[in-house]
Amino acid sequence: MRNFLLLLSVFAIFACKDKDSGISSSNYELSTNGLVLTKWKNETTTALDMQADPTLKEVKTIGQGAFAGHKNLKIITLPTQLITIEKEAFFGTSIKSIFIPSGVRVIKQDAFNASTLTSVQFSEGLTDIEEGGFVGCQIPLLKFPESLQSIGARAFYNNKVIVEVVIPKNVQNIGINAFSNLTTVTFKGINPPKVNTPFESVTRIFVPKGRLEVYKNNESFKKYANIISEEE
């Protein structure tokens, strides 16, 4: 009986140790200071909760190409302290839905390009979505935070399911072909942002009351003048 209890005690100690240690460090590579996830090495991972791991929850940057090509990855919870999602971080993954934490300021070039995202939830604090950030992602609804300032070229290009989008008042720049297949765009800014033919198929543009002529006479919006009207 005494030996049996001893075995149980040893098992309990090791079980607690495994639980406390979290995700095995053999699955990933971190920067020297532990703040950048430079590479996720386990290509069989299907779900990952970074916030639940005592080491990964401290990560502030998802490094360039860290998860690129991991087609088995379908679910991920990002750490709440995250600030930056680097270039091609999730390129070609099978993630369907993602929540971007409030600390994230920049989503860099091609971060989610060629992934299978159908839902993304942005948080206040995000200022920049860089070129090609969500190319090919079939996301039917986009709700941008008021903090957003820039939408890069081709950011949401080849999204065939979205037809309408609202551009927050603080957006200052929208790059070429940022969206495709849109029919309706509503601008909330008193002053027009700088745009470079960001819409391929838009048929209606709504602007704030009293700002119709300002938008129509803006150099960037002249080509859209005949489809611009004030919000009701």
Side-chain angles (χ1 to χ4, degrees):
M1 183 68 179
R2 183 176 298 175
N3 289 338
F4 176 75
L5 291 174
L6 179 62
L7 284 172
L8 280 179
S9 298
V10 171
F11 176 80
I13 290 171
F14 277 96
C16 291
K17 185 178 180 180
D18 287 340
K19 183 177 180 181
D20 290 340
S21 65
I23 298 167
S24 171
S25 60
S26 64
N27 288 320
Y28 56 82
E29 292 178 2
L30 296 176
S31 60
T32 305
N33 62 9
L35 300 181
V36 181
L37 176 65
T38 58
K39 184 177 182 180
W40 187 263
K41 298 192 289 185
N42 188 348
E43 296 186 2
T44 65
T45 301
T46 58
L48 174 62
D49 187 346
M50 295 181 67
Q51 182 58 29
D53 182 81
T55 300
L56 295 178
K57 73 177 183 179
E58 302 299 327
V59 167
K60 295 186 183 301
T61 299
I62 305 295
Q64 180 173 336
F67 291 93
H70 286 237
K71 294 189 179 298
N72 288 316
L73 185 63
K74 296 178 172 62
I75 301 170
I76 188 165
T77 300
L78 300 174
T80 57
Q81 295 191 68
L82 194 67
I83 295 173
T84 303
I85 300 174
E86 285 286 354
K87 180 179 179 180
E88 299 178 350
F90 294 96
F91 187 99
T93 60
S94 297
I95 298 170
K96 298 292 185 184
S97 176
I98 196 160
F99 172 76
I100 308 296
S102 59
V104 174
R105 298 293 179 262
V106 182
I107 296 174
K108 293 204 171 181
Q109 183 178 345
D110 296 314
F112 293 93
N113 190 340
S115 72
T116 59
L117 275 177
T118 57
S119 174
V120 58
Q121 185 177 344
F122 300 110
S123 298
E124 287 297 334
L126 180 68
T127 59
D128 293 271
I129 300 172
E130 292 190 356
E131 178 178 349
F134 294 86
V135 169
C137 298
Q138 304 306 308
I139 306 169
L141 178 64
L142 290 169
K143 186 176 181 181
F144 296 120
E146 292 295 312
S147 56
L148 190 64
Q149 297 176 16
S150 179
I151 301 172
R154 300 170 46 256
F156 297 92
Y157 190 75
N158 203 29
N159 180 344
K160 299 176 180 179
V161 297
I162 192 168
V163 295
E164 184 175 1
V165 74
V166 176
I167 305 297
K169 63 182 180 181
N170 292 314
V171 172
Q172 301 170 15
N173 297 284
I174 306 177
I176 189 169
N177 293 330
F179 301 91
S180 53
N181 301 294
L182 285 178
T183 59
T184 304
V185 181
T186 300
F187 287 90
K188 292 297 185 178
I190 297 300
N191 296 311
K194 182 179 179 181
V195 300
N196 182 6
T197 55
F199 316 113
E200 280 192 340
S201 56
V202 66
T203 58
R204 295 187 301 171
I205 292 178
F206 294 105
V207 301
K209 284 188 176 182
R211 307 304 289 176
L212 181 61
E213 294 305 316
V214 174
Y215 271 82
K216 281 189 173 184
N217 293 324
N218 182 275
E219 195 63 36
S220 298
F221 282 82
K222 283 185 176 179
K223 68 173 293 183
Y224 303 113
N226 63 332
I227 60 170
I228 300 176
S229 58
E230 292 184 353
E231 286 187 278
E232 296 179 359

